[in-house]
Coordinates of all heavy atoms in Angstrom, one line a residue:
G1 N 136.7 -115.6 -24.2 CA 135.6 -115.4 -25.2 C 136.0 -114.3 -26.2 O 135.1 -113.5 -26.7
W2 N 137.2 -114.3 -26.7 CA 137.7 -113.3 -27.6 C 137.1 -113.5 -29.0 O 136.8 -112.5 -29.7 CB 139.2 -113.3 -27.7 CG 139.9 -112.6 -26.5 CD1 139.3 -111.9 -25.6 CD2 141.3 -112.7 -26.2 NE1 140.2 -111.4 -24.7 CE2 141.4 -111.9 -25.0 CE3 142.4 -113.3 -26.8 CZ2 142.7 -111.7 -24.5 CZ3 143.6 -113.1 -26.2 CH2 143.8 -112.3 -25.1
T3 N 137.0 -114.7 -29.5 CA 136.7 -115.0 -30.9 C 135.4 -114.4 -31.3 O 135.4 -113.8 -32.4 CB 136.6 -116.6 -31.1 OG1 137.9 -117.2 -30.8 CG2 136.3 -116.9 -32.5
K4 N 134.4 -114.4 -30.6 CA 133.1 -113.9 -31.0 C 133.2 -112.4 -31.2 O 132.5 -111.9 -32.1 CB 132.0 -114.3 -30.1 CG 132.1 -113.8 -28.7 CD 130.9 -114.2 -27.8 CE 131.0 -113.7 -26.4 NZ 129.8 -114.1 -25.6
Y5 N 134.0 -111.7 -30.4 CA 134.1 -110.3 -30.6 C 135.0 -109.9 -31.7 O 134.7 -109.0 -32.5 CB 134.6 -109.6 -29.3 CG 133.6 -109.8 -28.1 CD1 133.9 -110.7 -27.1 CD2 132.4 -109.1 -28.1 CE1 133.1 -110.9 -26.0 CE2 131.5 -109.3 -27.0 CZ 131.9 -110.2 -26.0 OH 131.0 -110.4 -25.0
I6 N 136.1 -110.6 -31.9 CA 137.0 -110.4 -33.0 C 136.4 -110.7 -34.3 O 136.5 -110.0 -35.3 CB 138.3 -111.2 -32.8 CG1 139.1 -110.7 -31.6 CG2 139.2 -111.1 -34.0 CD1 140.3 -111.6 -31.2
R7 N 135.6 -111.8 -34.3 CA 135.0 -112.2 -35.6 C 133.9 -111.2 -36.0 O 133.7 -110.9 -37.1 CB 134.3 -113.6 -35.4 CG 133.6 -114.1 -36.6 CD 133.2 -115.6 -36.4 NE 134.3 -116.4 -36.2 CZ 134.2 -117.7 -35.7 NH1 133.1 -118.2 -35.4 NH2 135.3 -118.4 -35.6
K8 N 133.2 -110.6 -35.0 CA 132.2 -109.6 -35.3 C 132.8 -108.4 -35.9 O 132.2 -107.8 -36.8 CB 131.5 -109.2 -34.0 CG 130.3 -108.3 -34.2 CD 129.6 -107.9 -32.9 CE 129.0 -109.2 -32.3 NZ 128.2 -108.8 -31.1
V9 N 134.1 -108.1 -35.5 CA 134.7 -106.9 -36.1 C 135.3 -107.2 -37.5 O 135.0 -106.4 -38.4 CB 135.9 -106.4 -35.2 CG1 136.6 -105.3 -35.8 CG2 135.3 -105.9 -33.8
V10 N 136.0 -108.3 -37.6 CA 136.7 -108.5 -38.9 C 135.8 -109.1 -40.0 O 136.1 -109.0 -41.2 CB 137.9 -109.5 -38.7 CG1 138.9 -108.9 -37.8 CG2 137.4 -110.9 -38.2
E11 N 134.6 -109.7 -39.6 CA 133.7 -110.2 -40.6 C 132.5 -109.4 -40.8 O 131.5 -109.9 -41.4 CB 133.4 -111.7 -40.2 CG 134.6 -112.6 -40.2 CD 134.1 -114.1 -39.9 OE1 133.0 -114.3 -39.6 OE2 135.0 -114.9 -40.0
H12 N 132.4 -108.2 -40.2 CA 131.2 -107.4 -40.3 C 131.0 -107.1 -41.8 O 131.9 -106.8 -42.5 CB 131.3 -106.1 -39.5 CG 132.2 -105.1 -40.0 ND1 133.5 -105.1 -39.8 CD2 131.9 -104.0 -40.7 CE1 134.1 -104.1 -40.4 NE2 133.2 -103.4 -41.0
P13 N 129.7 -107.1 -42.2 CA 129.5 -106.9 -43.7 C 129.7 -105.5 -44.1 O 129.4 -104.5 -43.3 CB 128.0 -107.3 -43.8 CG 127.4 -107.1 -42.5 CD 128.5 -107.4 -41.5
V14 N 130.2 -105.3 -45.3 CA 130.4 -104.0 -45.9 C 129.8 -103.9 -47.2 O 129.4 -104.9 -47.8 CB 131.9 -103.7 -46.0 CG1 132.6 -103.7 -44.6 CG2 132.6 -104.7 -46.9
P15 N 129.5 -102.7 -47.8 CA 129.0 -102.6 -49.1 C 129.8 -103.3 -50.1 O 131.1 -103.4 -50.0 CB 129.0 -101.1 -49.4 CG 128.9 -100.5 -48.0 CD 129.7 -101.4 -47.1
P16 N 129.2 -103.8 -51.2 CA 129.9 -104.7 -52.2 C 130.9 -103.9 -53.1 O 131.8 -104.5 -53.6 CB 128.8 -105.3 -53.0 CG 127.7 -104.3 -52.9 CD 127.8 -103.7 -51.5
N17 N 130.7 -102.6 -53.2 CA 131.5 -101.9 -54.1 C 132.6 -100.9 -53.5 O 133.0 -99.9 -54.1 CB 130.6 -101.1 -55.1 CG 129.6 -100.2 -54.3 OD1 129.4 -100.4 -53.1 ND2 128.9 -99.3 -55.0
V18 N 133.0 -101.3 -52.3 CA 134.1 -100.5 -51.7 C 135.3 -100.7 -52.5 O 135.6 -101.7 -53.1 CB 134.3 -100.9 -50.2 CG1 133.2 -100.6 -49.3 CG2 134.6 -102.4 -50.1
N19 N 136.1 -99.6 -52.6 CA 137.3 -99.6 -53.5 C 138.6 -99.2 -52.8 O 138.6 -99.2 -51.5 CB 137.0 -98.7 -54.7 CG 136.5 -97.3 -54.2 OD1 137.1 -96.8 -53.3 ND2 135.5 -96.8 -54.9
W20 N 139.6 -98.9 -53.6 CA 140.9 -98.6 -53.0 C 140.9 -97.3 -52.2 O 141.8 -97.2 -51.4 CB 141.9 -98.5 -54.1 CG 142.2 -99.8 -54.8 CD1 141.7 -100.3 -55.9 CD2 143.1 -100.8 -54.3 NE1 142.2 -101.6 -56.2 CE2 143.1 -101.9 -55.2 CE3 144.0 -100.9 -53.2 CZ2 143.8 -103.1 -55.1 CZ3 144.8 -102.1 -53.1 CH2 144.7 -103.1 -54.0
W21 N 140.0 -96.5 -52.4 CA 139.9 -95.2 -51.6 C 139.6 -95.5 -50.1 O 139.8 -94.6 -49.3 CB 138.9 -94.2 -52.1 CG 139.4 -93.6 -53.4 CD1 138.9 -93.7 -54.6 CD2 140.4 -92.6 -53.5 NE1 139.6 -93.0 -55.5 CE2 140.5 -92.2 -54.8 CE3 141.3 -92.0 -52.6 CZ2 141.5 -91.3 -55.3 CZ3 142.2 -91.1 -53.0 CH2 142.3 -90.7 -54.4
Y22 N 139.1 -96.7 -49.8 CA 138.7 -97.0 -48.5 C 139.8 -97.7 -47.6 O 139.6 -98.1 -46.5 CB 137.5 -98.0 -48.5 CG 136.2 -97.4 -48.9 CD1 135.9 -97.0 -50.2 CD2 135.2 -97.1 -47.9 CE1 134.7 -96.4 -50.5 CE2 134.0 -96.5 -48.2 CZ 133.8 -96.1 -49.5 OH 132.6 -95.5 -49.9
V23 N 141.0 -97.7 -48.1 CA 142.1 -98.5 -47.4 C 142.9 -97.6 -46.5 O 143.6 -98.1 -45.6 CB 143.1 -99.1 -48.4 CG1 142.3 -100.0 -49.4 CG2 143.8 -98.0 -49.2
F24 N 142.7 -96.2 -46.5 CA 143.6 -95.4 -45.8 C 143.4 -95.3 -44.3 O 144.2 -95.0 -43.5 CB 143.6 -94.0 -46.4 CG 144.1 -93.9 -47.8 CD1 143.3 -93.9 -48.9 CD2 145.5 -94.0 -48.1 CE1 143.8 -93.9 -50.2 CE2 146.0 -94.0 -49.4 CZ 145.1 -94.0 -50.4
G25 N 142.1 -95.6 -43.9 CA 141.9 -95.7 -42.5 C 142.6 -96.8 -41.8 O 143.3 -96.6 -40.8
S26 N 142.5 -98.0 -42.4 CA 143.2 -99.1 -41.8 C 144.7 -99.0 -41.9 O 145.5 -99.4 -41.1 CB 142.7 -100.4 -42.4 OG 142.9 -100.4 -43.8
A27 N 145.2 -98.4 -43.0 CA 146.6 -98.1 -43.2 C 147.1 -97.2 -42.1 O 148.2 -97.4 -41.6 CB 146.9 -97.5 -44.6
T28 N 146.3 -96.2 -41.8 CA 146.7 -95.3 -40.7 C 146.9 -96.0 -39.4 O 147.8 -95.8 -38.6 CB 145.7 -94.1 -40.5 OG1 145.6 -93.5 -41.8 CG2 146.2 -93.1 -39.5
L29 N 145.9 -96.9 -39.1 CA 146.0 -97.8 -37.9 C 147.2 -98.6 -37.9 O 147.9 -98.7 -36.8 CB 144.7 -98.6 -37.8 CG 144.7 -99.6 -36.7 CD1 144.7 -98.9 -35.3 CD2 143.4 -100.5 -36.7

């Protein structure tokens, strides 16, 4: 049952105007 949990994480909605300043958290990961 991985798909429903993975999909919930990767497809969770975010604000429409997120920009390049928001990339450094995932880049650190």
